[in-house]
Structures are given as C-alpha cells and as structure tokens.
Amino acid sequence: MHVSGTVRVPGDKSISHRALMLGALGSGDSRITGLLPSADVQSTASMLRALGVAMPDISPDVMVVAGVGLGGLRASAHDLDGGNSGTTTRLMAGVLAACPFASRVIGDASLSTRPMQRVSKPLTAMGARFEFENGDGLPMTVHGGALHGITWRSEHASAQVKSAILLAGLVANVPVEVHEPAFTRDHTERMLRGRGLDVRSEGTMVTFVPGRPLAAMDTAVPGDPSSATFFAALAALATSGEIALENVCTNPSRTGAFVVLDRMGVRLGWEDVRENGGEPVGTLVVAPRRVVGTVIEPREVPSLIDELPMLACVGARAVGETRVTGAAELRVKESDRIAAVVQNLRAIGAVAEELPDGFVVQGSDRPLAGRVVTHGDHRIAMAFGILGALPGNKIEIDDPDCVRVSYPEFWNDLARAIR
Ligand code: S3P
C-alpha cells in the first residue's frame, strides 16, 4: 500500500477544552483559532453556556469567547452534561468547586462509570462538598463555595486531576501545590503562565500562587499528537510513500508514541519545529520501514497513554513481541482499553494477552479479519480502522461514528491518505 500527501490533523483536544474554559473565565474577549470541532469539545462549550458564558458554535475558524471573569459563572438551570468527556467533567469539577452554587453533573453511559473521586477528594479537602448518587461515578452534585489552599499528593499520574486542582485554586484565588507520581501533560500550566499567572513547575510538582487577574488571551490550537499517531502508524505500516503531518503539537509530555515508533524502527522525523502560543509545533514526516516489537516502560506511559491502542495494533504487525506495563489507567478510560484492545486483536486473529496493568501482543504478517467491538470508544475505532486499511486485512468496526468524540473527519482523512 502506498501512502502520500499531507494530513492536517484537527486541533488538540486537551488544549481545546482548556482554551474554552480559560477564555470563559478571563476578563474580556479571547479569540481561539484551530479549535477541535468534536463532540467532546462541544460538551465543554455546552457546559460553559449553561453557566452563563456567551459563545458561538464551536468551529476551527476564529471563535470569540466572551469571558465573564473568575467570579462570573452563574448557576445552571439544568443538569450539566459532560457527554463522553472525562476532561470536561474533571476540569470543570475544579471550576465548579470554587463557584458559590450547586451543580449536578451527568454524562453518557461510559462517562458515568468513570472514577470521579480522584477529583472530588482533593476538591473536598479544599472545602467543596460532593454528593454522589452512584458510588464513584456520575451523577455527582458539586456544592461549591469559598475554598482554602492545599498541598496535594496525587495517587494518579493524571493531568485531569492536576488541572482540576489548579483551576480550583485559580477561581477561588487560593494557593495550590500538586505533587504527581509522574510528569503529565502540562498544557494547563503553560496556558495559565501565558495568561500572566504565577505557576511554577519543578519536576513532578506544580504550584499556583494567586493574586494576579486572568487576562483574556488569543489561542492558536496546534494539531493533536494523539490524532496524528493514527496516521504515523498508517505510514509506518504502509509499503511505500510518506505522510507529512502538519502543525502537530510536539510538547514532550505528549510525544511518547513517536519516540516508541522510532524505537520500533519507523522512519520518522520532525521538520519546521517552532513555538506557537506557548506550545512547540512542527511537521512530522513518517515513512514505512520494517517494524520490530518493543517494551514500553511504565515511566513512558503518561506521555502516550491515549496512544496505547494504536501502538498495540502496530505491535500486531511488528516482528516479535510488544509489551506494555504500568498502564492500569487504561482500564478506566472511555472503555477498559486493556480488555478492548486484547479482545479485539484476538477477534481479528492476532495473538495478544491481558496483563493486570498492560498487555503483550505478538506480531505477525498474516491477514487479520473480523469484527471489532468498540464499546463506543473512539480510539479503539481509529486504531483498528488503521489496521483495517492495510491490504489483506478485512476488519469491520461496529460503531465507526464514535470517532466524532475526538476526530469527526477521521474516515475521510484516512480515505485521502491511501488513495
Ligand atoms: C487529558 C488527560 C489524560 C488523557 C485524556 C486527556 C487532559 O487523562 O487520557 O485524554 O486533557 O488532561 P488522565 O488525566 O486521566 O490521565
């Protein structure tokens, strides 16, 4: 199979959520360009609108968010719906914890099973009150109000937990200090610093010092490295050609999958790397080569957590074994991604085995065929969609439309890349 051309993947999901939230909380208008127009980002926009923020329909074109200021959010007349989006729900929990009203937060079937006490615990320690109707999941009611500062040692290497605490500190105007077991994506820190706030990072510790106003600021959202990984994998597994992925965020907290692909033998290089609005971006050029299995170490996991389904599928086409450990967090993503990856690899004829905190995949070049059950998980659909695009494979995806969560144009971009 020959691949060619340029793919401009859509805006980064993590940065899109944060750009909307910080735009809403700033004073004055913030212009956002390159926003990801997907269902998850729509969940954040709808939640902010319900809290009184005026904003147009989400769009990758210039979008103006009219900030209401740190104390400007108003109680919603109805439940706040996080949809399928963990980032919307957990980051907004931090914001809501500092607002002097109660908010009931709901979500779809997948989000409702995902753990929320990882954010309610630190936010409760800061002075908010949470009510759960269903164990650790949604619905939850956040009773917000005056908070006090906190030093929190997080059990989870989770940028969502870190960001919830930082946003609570920001809105409540109190100091916070977060220690994480491993370094996680630092977009919140970069964006707060870019807006003039005092946020300091040292290793796996981050502190927020209150006292400065949150300025409105324009944001150019770079392309999403998690979305780019699918096309990097496609190019890696093709027989000839090359794909250029333009304007991809190269923030080192997000690029672990490219480091792993490089180690697996893929020909991959960055061009035109530059700084864009506080984040490094560049063009990633990827071409096929013989791919060999690898060991993905626990310390690498936070930098490639969302890319593991795709890396598992690359492992299924590699020479030898690919092994991942230290990734138990995969069990509480949009689906149990350890089970979903292994069961689906087996369903299409590959050899794979679950570990409590990861998986082992045996590579082979025999044709893969069968039906993939996505459990509504966008990254499962796209990872197996790439395998299905390879000649000789015949893979049916049960719910191809679930890609709308992070990459609505995925199937069109895939068709163009292999034309
Ligand atoms: C995200 C953090 C990660 C990631 C998710 C987006 C973010 O989740 O998996 O897709 O934007 O902060 P965790 O914080 O739960 O690891």
Side-chain angles (χ1 to χ4, degrees):
M1 183 188 63
H2 186 79
V3 288
S4 63
T6 298
V7 180
R8 210 176 161 90
V9 294
D12 186 75
K13 185 152 76 68
S14 294
I15 297 174
S16 293
H17 287 298
R18 289 159 172 80
L20 290 181
M21 291 176 196
L22 295 179
L25 293 169
S27 20
D29 287 354
S30 292
R31 267 160 293 275
I32 305 170
T33 48
L35 189 90
L36 167 67
S38 81
D40 266 11
V41 178
Q42 179 65 56
S43 296
T44 291
S46 306
M47 210 178 264
L48 291 168
R49 280 193 203 102
L51 294 163
V53 182
M55 68 173 82
D57 289 343
I58 61 166
S59 147
D61 306 327
V62 185
M63 208 188 133
V64 182
V65 178
V68 294
L70 288 172
L73 296 182
R74 297 287 166 258
S76 167
H78 50 79
D79 290 347
L80 299 174
D81 190 352
N84 190 248
S85 176
T87 308
T88 304
T89 307
R90 297 203 180 108
L91 268 58
M92 285 303 295
V95 172
L96 295 171
C99 292
F101 49 80
S103 309
R104 185 168 181 270
V105 187
I106 59 169
D108 73 3
S110 151
L111 183 61
S112 299
T113 65
R114 297 181 64 188
M116 292 297 151
Q117 283 181 12
R118 54 181 58 196
V119 287
S120 69
K121 268 193 196 165
L123 297 170
T124 301
M126 292 177 79
R129 190 162 68 81
F130 283 71
E131 251 178 277
F132 286 92
E133 297 165 36
N134 219 344
D136 191 9
L138 298 180
M140 69 180 176
T141 302
V142 187
H143 300 269
L147 303 181
H148 44 81
I150 194 180
T151 295
W152 189 254
R153 285 175 204 284
S154 185
E155 288 165 39
H156 308 277
S158 162
Q160 293 177 353
V161 173
K162 171 176 65 178
S163 300
I165 299 169
L166 286 170
L167 291 173
L170 169 73
V171 179
N173 201 33
V174 297
V176 298
E177 181 172 313
V178 184
H179 297 255
E180 293 198 281
F183 187 70
T184 62
R185 66 190 69 193
D186 60 353
H187 306 302
T188 306
E189 296 91 304
R190 286 173 184 251
M191 293 174 81
L192 288 175
R193 261 183 232 123
R195 285 158 179 75
L197 293 160
D198 187 351
V199 175
R200 301 172 201 172
S201 303
E202 218 185 289
T204 55
M205 178 193 76
V206 53
T207 54
F208 166 71
V209 182
R212 299 188 193 162
L214 177 65
M217 193 177 148
D218 297 348
T219 306
V221 181
D224 195 322
S226 300
S227 298
T229 299
F230 298 109
F231 288 93
L234 178 77
L237 298 174
T239 36
S240 60
E242 113 183 344
I243 291 186
L245 296 155
E246 277 183 355
N247 192 41
V248 176
C249 181
T250 74
N251 180 324
S253 67
R254 297 290 302 283
T255 47
F258 306 131
V259 174
V260 168
L261 287 173
D262 183 64
R263 195 159 79 219
M264 293 176 91
V266 176
R267 204 147 59 78
L268 167 155
W270 288 98
E271 293 175 0
D272 190 23
V273 175
R274 61 203 185 279
E275 182 88 5
N276 188 353
E279 293 281 354
V281 299
T283 298
L284 181 63
V285 182
V286 192
R289 240 217 220 142
R290 199 174 81 117
V291 178
V292 292
T294 190
V295 175
I296 299 177
E297 302 284 354
R299 66 177 166 75
E300 295 180 285
V301 165
S303 69
L304 46 70
I305 184 75
D306 293 334
E307 289 64 76
L308 285 168
M310 186 69 258
L311 292 173
C313 289
V314 173
R317 295 277 81 174
V319 176
E321 180 178 288
T322 296
R323 174 181 286 267
V324 181
T325 53
E329 275 293 305
L330 285 181
R331 296 218 181 258
V332 290
K333 292 295 178 185
E334 286 83 327
S335 67
D336 174 345
R337 286 186 176 156
I338 293 178
V341 159
V342 170
Q343 285 164 13
N344 282 312
L345 281 173
R346 287 182 175 170
I348 60 173
V351 176
E353 184 198 327
E354 279 192 38
L355 303 174
D357 61 345
F359 45 76
V360 186
V361 180
Q362 307 297 335
S364 104
D365 56 6
R366 62 172 177 270
L368 299 171
R371 187 163 192 268
V372 163
V373 181
T374 58
H375 305 280
D377 185 334
H378 55 132
R379 300 211 193 274
I380 299 295
M382 292 187 277
F384 284 88
I386 294 295
L387 271 190
L390 303 177
N393 292 349
K394 213 171 152 32
I395 295 171
E396 187 199 337
I397 311 284
D398 70 344
D399 178 14
D401 195 36
C402 66
V403 303
R404 67 184 176 279
V405 158
S406 66
Y407 196 161
E409 289 300 312
F410 174 75
W411 300 110
N412 292 334
D413 284 356
L414 176 57
R416 259 196 302 276
I418 58 179
R419 192 168 48 206

